[in-house]
Amino acid sequence: SQTIHQWPATLVQPVGSPLSLECTVEGTSNPNLYWYRQAAGRGLQLLFYSVGIGQISSEVPQNLSASRPQDRQFILSSKKLLLSDSGFYLCAWSVDGAAKAFFGQGTRLTVV
Amino acid sequence: GENVEQHPSTLSVQEGDSAVIKCTYSDSASNYFPWYKQELGKGPQLIIDIRSNVGEKKDQRIAVTLNKTAKHFSLHITETQPEDSAVYFCAAWDGTSYGKLTFGQGTILTVHP
Protein backbone atom coordinates (compact mmCIF):
# COMPACT_ATOMS: atom_id res chain seq x y z
CA SER A 1 0.00 0.00 0.00
CA GLN A 2 1.04 3.59 -0.52
CA THR A 3 2.28 5.75 2.32
CA ILE A 4 3.51 9.30 2.56
CA HIS A 5 6.06 10.52 5.06
CA GLN A 6 6.60 14.13 5.97
CA TRP A 7 9.09 15.54 8.45
CA PRO A 8 9.72 17.15 10.77
CA ALA A 9 6.34 17.32 12.50
CA THR A 10 7.11 20.63 14.16
CA LEU A 11 9.80 23.22 13.57
CA VAL A 12 10.67 26.55 15.16
CA GLN A 13 13.05 28.68 13.14
CA PRO A 14 14.36 32.23 13.54
CA VAL A 15 13.65 34.86 10.92
CA GLY A 16 16.30 34.83 8.21
CA SER A 17 17.24 31.18 8.69
CA PRO A 18 16.98 28.60 5.89
CA LEU A 19 14.28 25.95 5.62
CA SER A 20 14.13 22.43 4.28
CA LEU A 21 11.04 20.25 4.62
CA GLU A 22 11.04 16.79 3.11
CA CYS A 23 8.31 14.52 1.85
CA THR A 24 8.62 11.00 0.50
CA VAL A 25 6.07 8.60 -0.93
CA GLU A 26 6.29 4.82 -0.85
CA GLY A 27 4.44 2.19 -2.79
CA THR A 28 3.81 4.05 -6.02
CA SER A 29 5.74 5.27 -9.04
CA ASN A 30 5.66 8.61 -10.81
CA PRO A 31 3.17 10.26 -8.47
CA ASN A 32 2.05 13.86 -8.77
CA LEU A 33 3.36 15.66 -5.70
CA TYR A 34 2.03 18.79 -4.02
CA TRP A 35 2.94 21.27 -1.30
CA TYR A 36 0.09 23.08 0.44
CA ARG A 37 0.09 25.67 3.17
CA GLN A 38 -2.71 25.99 5.68
CA ALA A 39 -3.11 29.09 7.82
CA ALA A 40 -4.95 29.04 11.16
CA GLY A 41 -6.27 25.50 10.60
CA ARG A 42 -8.43 26.48 7.64
CA GLY A 43 -8.09 26.87 3.89
CA LEU A 44 -5.52 24.88 1.93
CA GLN A 45 -3.46 26.97 -0.45
CA LEU A 46 -1.57 25.11 -3.16
CA LEU A 47 2.05 26.30 -3.29
CA PHE A 48 3.78 23.93 -5.71
CA TYR A 49 3.07 20.82 -7.71
CA SER A 50 5.28 18.43 -9.61
CA VAL A 51 4.47 15.85 -12.26
CA GLY A 52 7.97 14.41 -12.52
CA ILE A 53 11.61 14.64 -11.48
CA GLY A 54 12.88 18.18 -11.82
CA GLN A 55 9.47 19.49 -12.93
CA ILE A 56 8.09 22.11 -10.58
CA SER A 57 5.15 24.44 -11.06
CA SER A 58 4.54 27.32 -8.69
CA GLU A 59 1.04 28.48 -7.93
CA VAL A 60 1.75 31.63 -5.97
CA PRO A 61 4.73 34.01 -5.79
CA GLN A 62 6.47 33.69 -2.47
CA ASN A 63 9.62 33.27 -0.46
CA LEU A 64 9.65 29.49 -0.90
CA SER A 65 10.91 27.08 -3.53
CA ALA A 66 10.43 23.38 -4.22
CA SER A 67 12.53 20.66 -5.73
CA ARG A 68 12.03 17.06 -6.76
CA PRO A 69 15.41 15.35 -6.90
CA GLN A 70 13.95 11.82 -7.02
CA ASP A 71 10.70 10.32 -8.26
CA ARG A 72 9.15 10.01 -4.81
CA GLN A 73 10.88 12.85 -2.98
CA PHE A 74 9.62 16.40 -2.75
CA ILE A 75 11.41 19.16 -0.85
CA LEU A 76 10.20 22.59 0.22
CA SER A 77 12.91 25.15 0.86
CA SER A 78 13.63 28.73 1.70
CA LYS A 79 16.93 30.61 1.85
CA LYS A 80 15.68 33.15 4.40
CA LEU A 81 12.48 32.65 6.35
CA LEU A 82 10.02 35.46 7.01
CA LEU A 83 7.54 35.71 9.87
CA SER A 84 4.76 35.32 7.31
CA ASP A 85 6.09 31.87 6.37
CA SER A 86 4.69 30.45 9.60
CA GLY A 87 1.94 27.91 9.04
CA PHE A 88 1.04 24.28 8.63
CA TYR A 89 2.67 22.75 5.56
CA LEU A 90 1.20 19.70 3.94
CA CYS A 91 2.61 17.39 1.31
CA ALA A 92 0.24 15.34 -0.85
CA TRP A 93 0.41 12.87 -3.72
CA SER A 94 -1.91 11.61 -6.39
CA VAL A 95 -1.73 9.13 -9.22
CA ASP A 96 -0.96 10.71 -12.57
CA GLY A 97 -4.16 11.57 -14.39
CA ALA A 98 -6.39 11.32 -11.32
CA ALA A 99 -7.24 13.93 -8.73
CA LYS A 100 -7.63 11.67 -5.69
CA ALA A 101 -5.01 13.17 -3.39
CA PHE A 102 -3.59 11.79 -0.16
CA PHE A 103 -1.97 13.99 2.44
CA GLY A 104 0.92 13.62 4.83
CA GLN A 105 0.62 14.52 8.49
CA GLY A 106 1.98 18.00 8.04
CA THR A 107 4.73 20.18 9.48
CA ARG A 108 3.90 22.98 11.88
CA LEU A 109 6.40 25.76 11.13
CA THR A 110 6.75 28.69 13.48
CA VAL A 111 9.08 31.49 12.47
CA VAL A 112 10.17 33.62 15.43
CA GLY B 1 -10.09 29.31 -12.50
CA GLU B 2 -12.26 27.19 -10.26
CA ASN B 3 -13.80 28.71 -7.14
CA VAL B 4 -15.34 26.60 -4.37
CA GLU B 5 -17.59 28.07 -1.70
CA GLN B 6 -18.35 26.03 1.43
CA HIS B 7 -21.09 26.57 4.04
CA PRO B 8 -21.50 26.74 6.94
CA SER B 9 -18.13 27.69 8.38
CA THR B 10 -19.09 26.19 11.73
CA LEU B 11 -21.71 23.59 12.59
CA SER B 12 -22.72 22.34 16.01
CA VAL B 13 -24.98 19.31 16.47
CA GLN B 14 -26.04 16.92 19.19
CA GLU B 15 -24.83 13.36 19.10
CA GLY B 16 -27.17 11.27 16.97
CA ASP B 17 -28.33 14.18 14.83
CA SER B 18 -27.50 14.58 11.16
CA ALA B 19 -25.04 17.10 9.76
CA VAL B 20 -25.05 18.60 6.28
CA ILE B 21 -22.28 20.64 4.69
CA LYS B 22 -22.77 22.28 1.30
CA CYS B 23 -20.38 23.41 -1.41
CA THR B 24 -20.82 25.20 -4.70
CA TYR B 25 -18.34 25.35 -7.55
CA SER B 26 -17.97 27.68 -10.48
CA ASP B 27 -16.37 25.67 -13.28
CA SER B 28 -18.90 23.48 -15.10
CA ALA B 29 -15.98 21.38 -16.40
CA SER B 30 -15.22 20.09 -12.88
CA ASN B 31 -15.91 16.38 -12.67
CA TYR B 32 -14.45 15.06 -9.41
CA PHE B 33 -15.45 16.13 -5.91
CA PRO B 34 -13.70 14.75 -2.81
CA TRP B 35 -14.39 15.43 0.84
CA TYR B 36 -11.67 15.51 3.48
CA LYS B 37 -11.77 15.29 7.27
CA GLN B 38 -9.01 16.98 9.23
CA GLU B 39 -8.46 16.37 12.92
CA LEU B 40 -6.50 18.81 15.01
CA GLY B 41 -2.81 18.83 14.15
CA LYS B 42 -3.12 16.21 11.43
CA GLY B 43 -3.26 16.12 7.66
CA PRO B 44 -6.61 15.94 5.83
CA GLN B 45 -7.96 12.45 5.29
CA LEU B 46 -10.03 11.56 2.24
CA ILE B 47 -13.38 10.23 3.49
CA ILE B 48 -15.57 10.07 0.39
CA ASP B 49 -15.59 11.30 -3.18
CA ILE B 50 -17.94 11.47 -6.13
CA ARG B 51 -17.53 11.78 -9.86
CA SER B 52 -19.81 13.75 -12.10
CA ASN B 53 -21.38 10.70 -13.71
CA VAL B 54 -23.27 9.82 -10.49
CA GLY B 55 -25.65 11.79 -8.33
CA GLU B 56 -25.14 10.16 -4.95
CA LYS B 57 -22.68 7.93 -3.14
CA LYS B 58 -22.93 6.39 0.31
CA ASP B 59 -20.45 4.82 2.68
CA GLN B 60 -22.00 3.75 5.97
CA ARG B 61 -23.01 6.95 7.81
CA ILE B 62 -21.55 9.26 5.18
CA ALA B 63 -23.12 10.24 1.87
CA VAL B 64 -22.36 12.79 -0.81
CA THR B 65 -24.83 14.19 -3.32
CA LEU B 66 -24.06 16.10 -6.50
CA ASN B 67 -26.26 18.41 -8.54
CA LYS B 68 -24.36 19.20 -11.73
CA THR B 69 -27.01 21.54 -13.07
CA ALA B 70 -26.89 23.72 -9.99
CA LYS B 71 -23.15 23.13 -9.52
CA HIS B 72 -23.37 22.15 -5.91
CA PHE B 73 -22.57 19.10 -3.82
CA SER B 74 -23.18 18.20 -0.21
CA LEU B 75 -21.82 15.97 2.53
CA HIS B 76 -24.34 14.24 4.77
CA ILE B 77 -23.35 12.59 8.04
CA THR B 78 -26.06 10.65 9.84
CA GLU B 79 -26.12 9.48 13.46
CA THR B 80 -23.24 11.78 14.33
CA GLN B 81 -20.78 10.77 17.02
CA PRO B 82 -18.32 12.87 19.04
CA GLU B 83 -15.44 11.43 17.01
CA ASP B 84 -16.95 13.02 13.90
CA SER B 85 -15.88 16.38 15.34
CA ALA B 86 -13.27 17.81 12.97
CA VAL B 87 -12.79 20.28 10.13
CA TYR B 88 -14.31 19.10 6.84
CA PHE B 89 -13.17 20.33 3.44
CA CYS B 90 -14.80 19.94 0.07
CA ALA B 91 -12.83 20.22 -3.15
CA ALA B 92 -13.32 20.22 -6.90
CA TRP B 93 -11.15 19.16 -9.83
CA ASP B 94 -11.65 20.34 -13.39
CA GLY B 95 -9.75 17.41 -14.85
CA THR B 96 -7.33 19.55 -16.81
CA SER B 97 -4.36 20.28 -14.59
CA TYR B 98 -2.53 17.23 -13.32
CA GLY B 99 -4.91 16.62 -10.47
CA LYS B 100 -4.91 20.08 -8.94
CA LEU B 101 -7.75 20.47 -6.50
CA THR B 102 -9.49 23.68 -5.45
CA PHE B 103 -10.62 23.51 -1.81
CA GLY B 104 -13.43 25.14 0.09
CA GLN B 105 -12.61 27.08 3.23
CA GLY B 106 -13.65 24.31 5.57
CA THR B 107 -16.40 23.63 8.12
CA ILE B 108 -15.68 23.11 11.80
CA LEU B 109 -18.09 20.40 12.93
CA THR B 110 -18.64 19.93 16.65
CA VAL B 111 -20.71 16.99 17.88
CA HIS B 112 -21.84 17.39 21.47
CA PRO B 113 -22.32 14.21 23.51
mmCIF file of all heavy atoms in Angstrom, chain B residues 25-56:
data_model
loop_
_atom_site.group_PDB
_atom_site.id
_atom_site.type_symbol
_atom_site.label_atom_id
_atom_site.label_comp_id
_atom_site.label_asym_id
_atom_site.label_seq_id
_atom_site.Cartn_x
_atom_site.Cartn_y
_atom_site.Cartn_z
ATOM 1 N N TYR B 25 -19.530 25.148 -6.732
ATOM 2 C CA TYR B 25 -18.337 25.345 -7.549
ATOM 3 C C TYR B 25 -18.698 26.169 -8.759
ATOM 4 O O TYR B 25 -19.871 26.282 -9.138
ATOM 5 C CB TYR B 25 -17.701 24.004 -7.929
ATOM 6 C CG TYR B 25 -18.581 23.074 -8.733
ATOM 7 C CD1 TYR B 25 -18.477 23.006 -10.121
ATOM 8 C CD2 TYR B 25 -19.491 22.229 -8.104
ATOM 9 C CE1 TYR B 25 -19.269 22.134 -10.855
ATOM 10 C CE2 TYR B 25 -20.284 21.363 -8.824
ATOM 11 C CZ TYR B 25 -20.169 21.316 -10.195
ATOM 12 O OH TYR B 25 -20.951 20.455 -10.925
ATOM 13 N N SER B 26 -17.693 26.733 -9.398
ATOM 14 C CA SER B 26 -17.968 27.682 -10.481
ATOM 15 C C SER B 26 -17.709 27.115 -11.867
ATOM 16 O O SER B 26 -18.335 27.549 -12.839
ATOM 17 C CB SER B 26 -17.123 28.943 -10.283
ATOM 18 O OG SER B 26 -15.739 28.614 -10.313
ATOM 19 N N ASP B 27 -16.794 26.163 -11.977
ATOM 20 C CA ASP B 27 -16.373 25.666 -13.284
ATOM 21 C C ASP B 27 -17.216 24.441 -13.676
ATOM 22 O O ASP B 27 -17.102 23.386 -13.055
ATOM 23 C CB ASP B 27 -14.892 25.299 -13.240
ATOM 24 C CG ASP B 27 -14.318 24.997 -14.615
ATOM 25 O OD1 ASP B 27 -15.109 24.748 -15.566
ATOM 26 O OD2 ASP B 27 -13.090 24.996 -14.752
ATOM 27 N N SER B 28 -18.023 24.579 -14.688
ATOM 28 C CA SER B 28 -18.901 23.482 -15.104
ATOM 29 C C SER B 28 -18.110 22.288 -15.644
ATOM 30 O O SER B 28 -18.666 21.200 -15.798
ATOM 31 C CB SER B 28 -19.886 23.979 -16.163
ATOM 32 O OG SER B 28 -19.177 24.545 -17.254
ATOM 33 N N ALA B 29 -16.816 22.482 -15.922
ATOM 34 C CA ALA B 29 -15.983 21.378 -16.396
ATOM 35 C C ALA B 29 -15.504 20.477 -15.258
ATOM 36 O O ALA B 29 -14.992 19.385 -15.504
ATOM 37 C CB ALA B 29 -14.771 21.923 -17.148
ATOM 38 N N SER B 30 -15.671 20.907 -14.019
ATOM 39 C CA SER B 30 -15.224 20.094 -12.878
ATOM 40 C C SER B 30 -15.985 18.784 -12.853
ATOM 41 O O SER B 30 -17.202 18.749 -13.062
ATOM 42 C CB SER B 30 -15.433 20.850 -11.565
ATOM 43 O OG SER B 30 -14.537 21.933 -11.474
ATOM 44 N N ASN B 31 -15.267 17.687 -12.588
ATOM 45 C CA ASN B 31 -15.914 16.380 -12.667
ATOM 46 C C ASN B 31 -15.532 15.419 -11.542
ATOM 47 O O ASN B 31 -15.871 14.236 -11.593
ATOM 48 C CB ASN B 31 -15.616 15.730 -14.023
ATOM 49 C CG ASN B 31 -14.133 15.584 -14.269
ATOM 50 O OD1 ASN B 31 -13.320 15.669 -13.352
ATOM 51 N ND2 ASN B 31 -13.779 15.343 -15.513
ATOM 52 N N TYR B 32 -14.820 15.920 -10.546
ATOM 53 C CA TYR B 32 -14.454 15.060 -9.414
ATOM 54 C C TYR B 32 -14.489 15.895 -8.155
ATOM 55 O O TYR B 32 -13.934 16.999 -8.114
ATOM 56 C CB TYR B 32 -13.056 14.471 -9.633
ATOM 57 C CG TYR B 32 -12.516 13.720 -8.441
ATOM 58 C CD1 TYR B 32 -13.039 12.490 -8.088
ATOM 59 C CD2 TYR B 32 -11.486 14.255 -7.671
ATOM 60 C CE1 TYR B 32 -12.544 11.806 -6.987
ATOM 61 C CE2 TYR B 32 -10.987 13.576 -6.576
ATOM 62 C CZ TYR B 32 -11.523 12.355 -6.238
ATOM 63 O OH TYR B 32 -11.036 11.681 -5.150
ATOM 64 N N PHE B 33 -15.178 15.344 -7.107
ATOM 65 C CA PHE B 33 -15.447 16.135 -5.913
ATOM 66 C C PHE B 33 -15.165 15.297 -4.660
ATOM 67 O O PHE B 33 -15.994 14.501 -4.247
ATOM 68 C CB PHE B 33 -16.898 16.623 -5.921
ATOM 69 C CG PHE B 33 -17.265 17.334 -7.192
ATOM 70 C CD1 PHE B 33 -17.824 16.633 -8.249
ATOM 71 C CD2 PHE B 33 -17.032 18.695 -7.335
ATOM 72 C CE1 PHE B 33 -18.147 17.268 -9.444
ATOM 73 C CE2 PHE B 33 -17.349 19.342 -8.515
ATOM 74 C CZ PHE B 33 -17.914 18.635 -9.571
ATOM 75 N N PRO B 34 -14.016 15.494 -4.038
ATOM 76 C CA PRO B 34 -13.704 14.745 -2.812
ATOM 77 C C PRO B 34 -14.045 15.544 -1.563
ATOM 78 O O PRO B 34 -14.142 16.781 -1.596
ATOM 79 C CB PRO B 34 -12.188 14.560 -2.921
ATOM 80 C CG PRO B 34 -11.722 15.784 -3.658
ATOM 81 C CD PRO B 34 -12.860 16.197 -4.571
ATOM 82 N N TRP B 35 -14.207 14.817 -0.471
ATOM 83 C CA TRP B 35 -14.390 15.429 0.840
ATOM 84 C C TRP B 35 -13.283 14.912 1.769
ATOM 85 O O TRP B 35 -12.976 13.722 1.777
ATOM 86 C CB TRP B 35 -15.747 15.063 1.437
ATOM 87 C CG TRP B 35 -16.889 15.795 0.809
ATOM 88 C CD1 TRP B 35 -17.617 15.419 -0.283
ATOM 89 C CD2 TRP B 35 -17.436 17.047 1.247
ATOM 90 N NE1 TRP B 35 -18.579 16.356 -0.558
ATOM 91 C CE2 TRP B 35 -18.507 17.365 0.370
ATOM 92 C CE3 TRP B 35 -17.148 17.923 2.296
ATOM 93 C CZ2 TRP B 35 -19.270 18.519 0.507
ATOM 94 C CZ3 TRP B 35 -17.905 19.065 2.435
ATOM 95 C CH2 TRP B 35 -18.957 19.354 1.543
ATOM 96 N N TYR B 36 -12.743 15.853 2.559
ATOM 97 C CA TYR B 36 -11.673 15.507 3.480
ATOM 98 C C TYR B 36 -12.072 15.867 4.909
ATOM 99 O O TYR B 36 -12.766 16.858 5.145
ATOM 100 C CB TYR B 36 -10.381 16.266 3.139
ATOM 101 C CG TYR B 36 -9.705 15.795 1.871
ATOM 102 C CD1 TYR B 36 -10.102 16.276 0.630
ATOM 103 C CD2 TYR B 36 -8.679 14.860 1.915
ATOM 104 C CE1 TYR B 36 -9.490 15.834 -0.539
ATOM 105 C CE2 TYR B 36 -8.061 14.415 0.757
ATOM 106 C CZ TYR B 36 -8.471 14.910 -0.459
ATOM 107 O OH TYR B 36 -7.857 14.470 -1.601
ATOM 108 N N LYS B 37 -11.590 15.046 5.842
ATOM 109 C CA LYS B 37 -11.775 15.294 7.268
ATOM 110 C C LYS B 37 -10.403 15.558 7.880
ATOM 111 O O LYS B 37 -9.458 14.783 7.647
ATOM 112 C CB LYS B 37 -12.393 14.060 7.929
ATOM 113 C CG LYS B 37 -12.523 14.151 9.450
ATOM 114 C CD LYS B 37 -13.053 12.830 10.012
ATOM 115 C CE LYS B 37 -13.193 12.879 11.527
ATOM 116 N NZ LYS B 37 -13.669 11.574 12.080
ATOM 117 N N GLN B 38 -10.285 16.647 8.618
ATOM 118 C CA GLN B 38 -9.005 16.975 9.231
ATOM 119 C C GLN B 38 -9.167 17.115 10.736
ATOM 120 O O GLN B 38 -9.901 17.988 11.206
ATOM 121 C CB GLN B 38 -8.425 18.269 8.652
ATOM 122 C CG GLN B 38 -7.023 18.568 9.159
ATOM 123 C CD GLN B 38 -6.422 19.814 8.535
ATOM 124 O OE1 GLN B 38 -7.134 20.707 8.099
ATOM 125 N NE2 GLN B 38 -5.105 19.872 8.468
ATOM 126 N N GLU B 39 -8.484 16.277 11.455
ATOM 127 C CA GLU B 39 -8.461 16.369 12.919
ATOM 128 C C GLU B 39 -7.326 17.288 13.338
ATOM 129 O O GLU B 39 -6.368 17.507 12.584
ATOM 130 C CB GLU B 39 -8.329 14.976 13.515
ATOM 131 C CG GLU B 39 -9.524 14.089 13.167
ATOM 132 C CD GLU B 39 -9.409 12.680 13.687
ATOM 133 O OE1 GLU B 39 -8.281 12.246 14.005
ATOM 134 O OE2 GLU B 39 -10.439 12.005 13.793
ATOM 135 N N LEU B 40 -7.425 17.797 14.518
ATOM 136 C CA LEU B 40 -6.498 18.806 15.011
ATOM 137 C C LEU B 40 -5.050 18.339 14.908
ATOM 138 O O LEU B 40 -4.703 17.269 15.412
ATOM 139 C CB LEU B 40 -6.843 19.157 16.455
ATOM 140 C CG LEU B 40 -6.132 20.378 17.046
ATOM 141 C CD1 LEU B 40 -6.518 21.635 16.272
ATOM 142 C CD2 LEU B 40 -6.463 20.536 18.518
ATOM 143 N N GLY B 41 -4.225 19.133 14.241
ATOM 144 C CA GLY B 41 -2.807 18.833 14.148
ATOM 145 C C GLY B 41 -2.432 17.747 13.168
ATOM 146 O O GLY B 41 -1.272 17.327 13.118
ATOM 147 N N LYS B 42 -3.393 17.282 12.381
ATOM 148 C CA LYS B 42 -3.116 16.206 11.430
ATOM 149 C C LYS B 42 -3.405 16.643 10.004
ATOM 150 O O LYS B 42 -4.019 17.672 9.767
ATOM 151 C CB LYS B 42 -3.955 14.980 11.777
ATOM 152 C CG LYS B 42 -3.652 14.386 13.145
ATOM 153 C CD LYS B 42 -4.440 13.122 13.364
ATOM 154 C CE LYS B 42 -4.088 12.483 14.707
ATOM 155 N NZ LYS B 42 -4.858 11.217 14.925
ATOM 156 N N GLY B 43 -2.965 15.850 9.050
ATOM 157 C CA GLY B 43 -3.256 16.125 7.664
ATOM 158 C C GLY B 43 -4.674 15.719 7.302
ATOM 159 O O GLY B 43 -5.273 14.862 7.951
ATOM 160 N N PRO B 44 -5.256 16.313 6.273
ATOM 161 C CA PRO B 44 -6.607 15.939 5.834
ATOM 162 C C PRO B 44 -6.658 14.496 5.356
ATOM 163 O O PRO B 44 -5.728 14.011 4.707
ATOM 164 C CB PRO B 44 -6.877 16.911 4.673
ATOM 165 C CG PRO B 44 -5.931 18.038 4.876
ATOM 166 C CD PRO B 44 -4.717 17.439 5.493
ATOM 167 N N GLN B 45 -7.762 13.842 5.682
ATOM 168 C CA GLN B 45 -7.955 12.454 5.286
ATOM 169 C C GLN B 45 -9.149 12.363 4.347
ATOM 170 O O GLN B 45 -10.234 12.855 4.662
ATOM 171 C CB GLN B 45 -8.200 11.587 6.521
ATOM 172 C CG GLN B 45 -8.461 10.127 6.228
ATOM 173 C CD GLN B 45 -8.840 9.329 7.455
ATOM 174 O OE1 GLN B 45 -9.055 9.892 8.527
ATOM 175 N NE2 GLN B 45 -8.901 8.022 7.330
ATOM 176 N N LEU B 46 -8.957 11.737 3.199
ATOM 177 C CA LEU B 46 -10.034 11.561 2.240
ATOM 178 C C LEU B 46 -11.082 10.615 2.822
ATOM 179 O O LEU B 46 -10.760 9.491 3.230
ATOM 180 C CB LEU B 46 -9.482 10.985 0.934
ATOM 181 C CG LEU B 46 -10.489 10.701 -0.175
ATOM 182 C CD1 LEU B 46 -11.089 11.985 -0.694
ATOM 183 C CD2 LEU B 46 -9.810 9.942 -1.315
ATOM 184 N N ILE B 47 -12.335 11.071 2.894
ATOM 185 C CA ILE B 47 -13.381 10.234 3.493
ATOM 186 C C ILE B 47 -14.393 9.736 2.471
ATOM 187 O O ILE B 47 -14.966 8.654 2.626
ATOM 188 C CB ILE B 47 -14.109 10.949 4.643
ATOM 189 C CG1 ILE B 47 -14.709 12.294 4.187
ATOM 190 C CG2 ILE B 47 -13.179 11.153 5.822
ATOM 191 C CD1 ILE B 47 -15.597 12.938 5.234
ATOM 192 N N ILE B 48 -14.645 10.499 1.429
ATOM 193 C CA ILE B 48 -15.567 10.075 0.391
ATOM 194 C C ILE B 48 -15.374 10.978 -0.815
ATOM 195 O O ILE B 48 -14.914 12.114 -0.669
ATOM 196 C CB ILE B 48 -17.037 10.097 0.892
ATOM 197 C CG1 ILE B 48 -17.952 9.291 -0.038
ATOM 198 C CG2 ILE B 48 -17.535 11.523 1.061
ATOM 199 C CD1 ILE B 48 -19.339 9.036 0.553
ATOM 200 N N ASP B 49 -15.694 10.473 -1.985
ATOM 201 C CA ASP B 49 -15.587 11.302 -3.184
ATOM 202 C C ASP B 49 -16.676 10.899 -4.165
ATOM 203 O O ASP B 49 -17.291 9.834 -4.043
ATOM 204 C CB ASP B 49 -14.199 11.193 -3.819
ATOM 205 C CG ASP B 49 -13.781 9.753 -4.133
ATOM 206 O OD1 ASP B 49 -14.628 8.838 -4.068
ATOM 207 O OD2 ASP B 49 -12.589 9.542 -4.427
ATOM 208 N N ILE B 50 -16.915 11.760 -5.138
ATOM 209 C CA ILE B 50 -17.943 11.473 -6.126
ATOM 210 C C ILE B 50 -17.502 12.032 -7.467
ATOM 211 O O ILE B 50 -16.869 13.093 -7.537
ATOM 212 C CB ILE B 50 -19.314 12.053 -5.694
ATOM 213 C CG1 ILE B 50 -20.437 11.523 -6.597
ATOM 214 C CG2 ILE B 50 -19.287 13.575 -5.663
ATOM 215 C CD1 ILE B 50 -21.832 11.814 -6.048
ATOM 216 N N ARG B 51 -17.826 11.316 -8.517
ATOM 217 C CA ARG B 51 -17.529 11.784 -9.864
ATOM 218 C C ARG B 51 -18.812 12.252 -10.515
ATOM 219 O O ARG B 51 -19.906 11.886 -10.100
ATOM 220 C CB ARG B 51 -16.842 10.683 -10.675
ATOM 221 C CG ARG B 51 -15.498 10.305 -10.077
ATOM 222 C CD ARG B 51 -14.606 9.515 -10.991
ATOM 223 N NE ARG B 51 -13.327 9.231 -10.335
ATOM 224 C CZ ARG B 51 -12.269 10.031 -10.390
ATOM 225 N NH1 ARG B 51 -12.327 11.163 -11.068
ATOM 226 N NH2 ARG B 51 -11.151 9.706 -9.777
ATOM 227 N N SER B 52 -18.658 13.046 -11.550
ATOM 228 C CA SER B 52 -19.808 13.755 -12.101
ATOM 229 C C SER B 52 -20.799 12.855 -12.822
ATOM 230 O O SER B 52 -21.875 13.313 -13.195
ATOM 231 C CB SER B 52 -19.340 14.871 -13.037
ATOM 232 O OG SER B 52 -18.563 14.319 -14.077
ATOM 233 N N ASN B 53 -20.457 11.598 -13.018
ATOM 234 C CA ASN B 53 -21.380 10.705 -13.709
ATOM 235 C C ASN B 53 -22.369 10.016 -12.751
ATOM 236 O O ASN B 53 -23.182 9.195 -13.186
ATOM 237 C CB ASN B 53 -20.602 9.660 -14.517
ATOM 238 C CG ASN B 53 -19.658 8.845 -13.651
ATOM 239 O OD1 ASN B 53 -19.391 9.187 -12.501
ATOM 240 N ND2 ASN B 53 -19.151 7.766 -14.210
ATOM 241 N N VAL B 54 -22.308 10.347 -11.468
ATOM 242 C CA VAL B 54 -23.267 9.817 -10.494
ATOM 243 C C VAL B 54 -23.821 10.963 -9.670
ATOM 244 O O VAL B 54 -23.209 12.017 -9.565
ATOM 245 C CB VAL B 54 -22.640 8.764 -9.558
ATOM 246 C CG1 VAL B 54 -22.149 7.573 -10.359
ATOM 247 C CG2 VAL B 54 -21.519 9.368 -8.754
ATOM 248 N N GLY B 55 -25.010 10.741 -9.092
ATOM 249 C CA GLY B 55 -25.646 11.794 -8.329
ATOM 250 C C GLY B 55 -25.524 11.634 -6.826
ATOM 251 O O GLY B 55 -25.664 12.596 -6.086
ATOM 252 N N GLU B 56 -25.229 10.392 -6.386
ATOM 253 C CA GLU B 56 -25.144 10.158 -4.950
ATOM 254 C C GLU B 56 -24.237 8.966 -4.693
ATOM 255 O O GLU B 56 -24.174 8.019 -5.477
ATOM 256 C CB GLU B 56 -26.529 9.891 -4.362
ATOM 257 C CG GLU B 56 -26.528 9.680 -2.848
ATOM 258 C CD GLU B 56 -27.917 9.513 -2.267
ATOM 259 O OE1 GLU B 56 -28.885 9.520 -3.045
ATOM 260 O OE2 GLU B 56 -28.028 9.370 -1.043
#
